[in-house]
Each structure stands twice: as structure tokens, then as C-alpha cells.
Amino acid sequence: MSSSPEALKIGIIGFGPFAQFLASTMVKQGHTLTATSRTDYSELCSNLGVDFFRDIDTFLNVHNDVILLCTSIVSLSQVLKSIPFHLVKNPNILFVDVLSVKNYPRDLLLQVLPETMDLLCTHPMFGPESGRDGWDGLPFVFEKVRIRDQDVCSSFLQIFELEGCRMVEMTCEEHDKQAARSQFLTHTIGRILSEMDIKSTSMDTKGFQKLVQLKESTMKDGFDLYRGLFVHNKYAEQELKNLELAIQTVKQKLLDRMEEK
Ligand SMILES: NC(=O)c1ccc[n+]([C@@H]2O[C@H](COP(=O)([O-])OP(=O)(O)OC[C@H]3O[C@@H](n4cnc5c(N)ncnc54)[C@H](OP(=O)(O)O)[C@@H]3O)[C@@H](O)[C@H]2O)c1
């Protein structure tokens, strides 16, 4: 078990479902949180103990150690364009993103972030559903893209270490390759099962129960997330083709043996 991390001042941009989920653990650990978002989350934030700012300029005027980007994948470019980076109070701040694709935010952030600011790209491989009962043993993927202040970066990573996450350091490139074959494939099959409208029966096998669970957990995530996994991961299209080909191959094997006795 790691020692208690240094209390950080963390500003969150994009306070949707995933940010709310992360924020409650961060507050519980004693970090000081502020947030801004397209939607007004003032009331929800006040219940969580987070200061909410409707206006991005005022939000950036707070001296934070970390800015955590939790916007949807497909809105990232637009959100980054709306940030007046020259107003960020702390010129050596650490930017962290949690997007479920990694090359895309790394490249965009390296283009727009002032040279003095650090960058940590992360993907917690769990969400409000799978992490509902705690984060113990769940993977947390990260790449230290540009880190000069090791202390702030370590303190941020300790938030997840302290909850028992399995810390996986890998490049954004390797993440996207693996995620297309695992996470994108999982979401695709979950959505296919939903299109087929599969439902629990009175004689479910264990295997079928797992398929119904997969359909249900996949459909709790918005379509924007799924769209982002496809549009902004260059490896996803090939995995979709592999899936289509595999369905054709399996079907052909059956058809070829139709006449067998
Ligand atoms: N859910 C998960 O299990 C999970 C796990 C790991 C990583 N992530 C990543 O975490 C991020 C947030 O995910 P999520 O589950 O909360 O849902 P999401 O639908 O992917 O993102 C919702 C967030 O994006 C913001 N947003 C959407 N369109 C916008 C626009 N046009 N302009 C400004 N902001 C916009 C929303 O702001 P408002 O709410 O203010 O409208 C909200 O904060 C995503 O990048 C996702 O890949 C999610």
C-alpha cells in the first residue's frame, strides 16, 4: 500500500458521468476540486464538495496543480479550442486526460499546450459500472508524455495506486493497438447484441447470461463514447473488418458442412 498522497488542487474540465465518478473518490482522499463544464452542474457539485465555475476564465484563475480533461472524445478538439491557455494561473501545471483513446489526445495536447506545461495521458480501464464497488485490481493505463515535475505526477498517480488499481505504463500507441482488439471489440459486440434485442429467457445458460450482461453494460455508455473509440483510434476499423470476416468464415464453415451426415 502506498503512503498518503500529497493533497492536490485539481481542476476538472467536463463534468459528465465519468468525471463525477472520479471526483467522489478524489474528494474522499482529501484533494481540493474545482470544475467547469458545458452544462451547469452547480448543484451536483455543491453536494459533492466541488467548486463549480460556469465561466472558463474564472475557473482557470484558480491556482491548480492539475487540470483533468474529462470531456467526450468527439468534443475534445472543440473544448481545447475554447481554453484560453494564457489565463492558466500556474504556468507549470500538469494536464491529464482520461479519454478512452490515447494517440488522439496526446497529439492534440502536444500541439496546443504551452511548452511549460506537463502532460500525462491516462485511461482508467473502468467506469461507474465496473468500478462501482471499488477500483481494487482494475487496470489504470498511463504514459508520462512530458513530465518535469515528478512530485505532482506521482501524487496524481497515487490517487489510483491507493485505491488498489493495477498500474500499467505503456505508450499511447500500444494502448490504441490493444484497446481496438479488446475494448472496441467488446463495445461492438455489446451493440450488435442490442441490435438483435437479446433478452433473458427462462432457460439461460451461464454463457447467455454473460451475453445479456454485456449488452446491458455496453448500452449504459453513450453512443458518443463508442463513436469516439472508432473515429479516433486508427486500429478500430481493421478490427471491425476482422469481425465481419470472422462472421463470414464461421458461417461458411457451417454451410460447407450442411450436407455432412
Ligand atoms: N464512462 C467510462 O466508463 C469511461 C472510462 C474511462 C474513460 N472514459 C472517458 O472519459 C470521458 C468522459 O466520459 P463520460 O462517460 O463522462 O461520457 P462522454 O459522453 O464520453 O463525455 C461526456 C462529457 O463530455 C462533455 N461534452 C460532450 N460534448 C461536448 C461539447 N460539444 N462541448 C463541450 N463538452 C462536451 C460533457 O459535458 P456536459 O456534461 O457539460 O454536457 C461531459 O463532460 C470520455 O473521454 C471517455 O472516453 C470514460
Side-chain angles (χ1 to χ4, degrees), residues 14-18 37-39 41 70-72 75 98 100 124 126-127 225:
F15 208 68
F18 192 59
S37 207
R38 177 181 60 168
T39 304
Y41 290 108
C70 293
T71 55
S72 65
S75 69
V98 294
S100 307
F126 50 91
L225 174 61

Side-chain angles (χ1 to χ4, degrees), residues 19-203:
Q20 294 162 26
F21 166 71
L22 292 179
S24 61
T25 295
M26 291 174 177
V27 169
K28 182 195 78 185
Q29 287 190 1
H31 302 288
T32 305
L33 265 57
T34 50
T36 190
S37 207
R38 177 181 60 168
T39 304
D40 184 1
Y41 290 108
S42 310
E43 205 176 315
L44 192 144
C45 278
S46 105
N47 293 335
L48 275 172
V50 174
D51 278 338
F52 186 80
F53 296 87
R54 286 243 62 188
D55 168 47
I56 186 116
D57 292 10
T58 327
F59 166 81
L60 294 176
N61 199 34
V62 175
H63 192 288
N64 278 310
D65 303 302
V66 177
I67 284 188
L68 185 60
L69 283 167
C70 293
T71 55
S72 65
I73 300 167
V74 289
S75 69
L76 179 71
S77 152
Q78 191 189 336
V79 169
L80 288 180
K81 280 190 192 125
S82 73
I83 302 177
F85 287 97
H86 65 283
L87 294 183
V88 177
K89 192 98 173 159
N90 171 6
N92 305 118
I93 203 159
L94 170 66
F95 262 78
V96 181
D97 87 282
V98 294
L99 273 62
S100 307
V101 293
K102 293 275 47 83
N103 276 337
Y104 176 64
R106 181 203 57 198
D107 293 350
L108 268 189
L109 282 159
L110 282 174
Q111 278 169 31
V112 299
L113 275 190
E115 180 53 37
T116 54
M117 297 178 186
D118 283 359
L119 176 60
L120 175 69
C121 288
T122 80
H123 185 192
M125 304 297 299
F126 50 91
E129 274 299 305
S130 53
R132 191 177 36 201
D133 300 324
W135 305 353
D136 195 29
L138 300 175
F140 180 88
V141 175
F142 66 97
E143 180 180 357
K144 294 178 182 178
V145 176
R146 184 168 76 199
I147 301 297
R148 282 150 298 194
D149 190 334
Q150 299 293 337
D151 291 346
V152 170
C153 180
S154 300
S155 295
F156 183 82
L157 291 172
Q158 273 189 54
I159 295 171
F160 298 88
E161 286 165 11
L162 211 62
E163 298 299 316
C165 286
R166 186 160 59 77
M167 307 301 284
V168 184
E169 189 165 5
M170 73 165 67
T171 61
C172 292
E173 177 69 17
E174 185 56 28
H175 166 279
D176 283 2
K177 220 182 269 181
Q178 292 193 26
R181 277 195 87 83
S182 56
Q183 188 190 27
F184 174 69
L185 188 63
T186 309
H187 278 249
T188 301
I189 291 175
R191 284 189 178 268
I192 291 171
L193 295 173
S194 170
E195 285 297 328
M196 293 174 74
D197 200 21
I198 64 158
K199 287 194 172 76
S200 207
T201 70
S202 58
M203 42 169 271

